[in-house]
Amino acid sequence: MTTPTGRAGVGPIRLLLADDQALVRGALAALLSMEPDLEVVAQVGDGTTVAAAVAELRVDVALLDIDMPGLDGIEAARAIAAGGTGCRSLIVTTFGRPGYLRRALEAGASGFVVKDTPAEQLAQAVRSVHAGRRVVDPSLAEETLVSGSNPLTERERDVLRAALNGSSVRQIAAALFLSPGTVRNHLSSAIGKTHTTNRTEAGLAARDNGWL
């Protein structure tokens, strides 16, 4: 049986862990470092530093949380894919939402698992992603097929994010360079698509489905 190796073909698979919770990073690092063919070479707590660290440290697989300061894990995966380094991304998150899975794969991530995945399975997911295979939590994949694609347009997502932050229609309009009437139209459309009764409910429903 051969031992998986990093991009250079020699030595362990080089990993980057990105999570804004230091305790979670440390726990993942400890678990994965017990595997002889895996080596954690970087730990970061901010999504904006991920792509640069991947390039500088010749990372083979980046394990990314979704909810991080700066760039979230999905956008970090997109930045890694755009960097052309050959590094692959594996989303490891608490938020097992179908919409997040679809967005992550569209951004270039090679896998999506939840944080309560057993250590042995997580290590195997890393190896599979490194080998060029796609790894997706089976239950989440099924939910994604059932729930369908994100029905919201980009602008509708923008106004719902602002609405969840407590911004008024005029504040949203100013921030997005839209007229108040246009903002209201987007909010009304989003409320209809989420089958809710007001913009707060629409924002919460969209967030819970991973559409924002």
Side-chain angles (χ1 to χ4, degrees):
M1 177 178 172
T2 59
T3 300
T5 58
R7 271 182 291 165
V10 179
I13 300 170
R14 297 168 64 82
L15 308 180
L16 174 144
L17 306 182
D19 195 300
D20 62 340
Q21 298 183 45
L23 286 175
V24 174
R25 290 200 310 272
L28 286 175
L31 289 171
L32 293 171
S33 294
M34 294 175 67
E35 302 291 330
D37 59 327
L38 305 181
E39 179 184 6
V40 178
V41 299
Q43 299 183 46
V44 302
D46 186 329
T48 59
T49 65
V50 167
V54 162
E56 179 182 354
L57 299 171
R58 297 179 293 108
V59 173
D60 296 308
V61 179
L63 285 76
L64 310 172
D65 186 27
I66 286 182
D67 189 13
M68 292 189 292
L71 292 181
D72 64 26
I74 293 174
E75 291 307 313
R78 193 186 309 279
I80 290 171
T85 61
C87 175
R88 299 183 183 278
S89 300
L90 174 63
I91 302 294
V92 184
T93 182
T94 303
F95 302 105
R97 296 167 180 163
Y100 282 148
L101 169 58
R102 189 180 298 274
R103 288 172 54 205
L105 297 180
E106 289 174 350
S110 297
F112 195 111
V113 297
V114 292
K115 285 182 179 175
D116 61 1
T117 299
E120 291 184 3
Q121 291 183 25
L122 179 59
Q124 190 54 48
V126 169
R127 297 182 187 106
S128 295
V129 164
H130 177 255
R133 296 187 289 272
R134 177 170 285 184
V135 177
V136 175
D137 181 278
S139 61
L140 197 56
E142 182 178 352
E143 289 180 34
T144 298
L145 289 174
V146 172
S147 66
S149 60
N150 187 344
L152 302 173
T153 67
E154 182 177 352
R155 273 306 190 196
E156 287 166 357
R157 295 196 297 271
D158 289 340
V159 297
L160 285 180
R161 289 190 194 98
L164 279 178
N165 291 333
S167 298
S168 67
V169 168
R170 290 192 176 277
Q171 289 171 329
I172 296 172
L176 299 179
F177 303 101
L178 300 172
S179 70
T182 298
V183 170
R184 291 189 184 93
N185 288 339
H186 285 312
L187 288 171
S188 177
S189 177
I191 290 168
K193 290 178 179 179
T194 55
H195 307 291
T196 53
T197 59
N198 57 60
R199 62 182 187 173
T200 300
E201 289 181 2
L204 292 173
R207 186 189 65 188
D208 290 344
N209 278 292
W211 293 337
L212 297 185

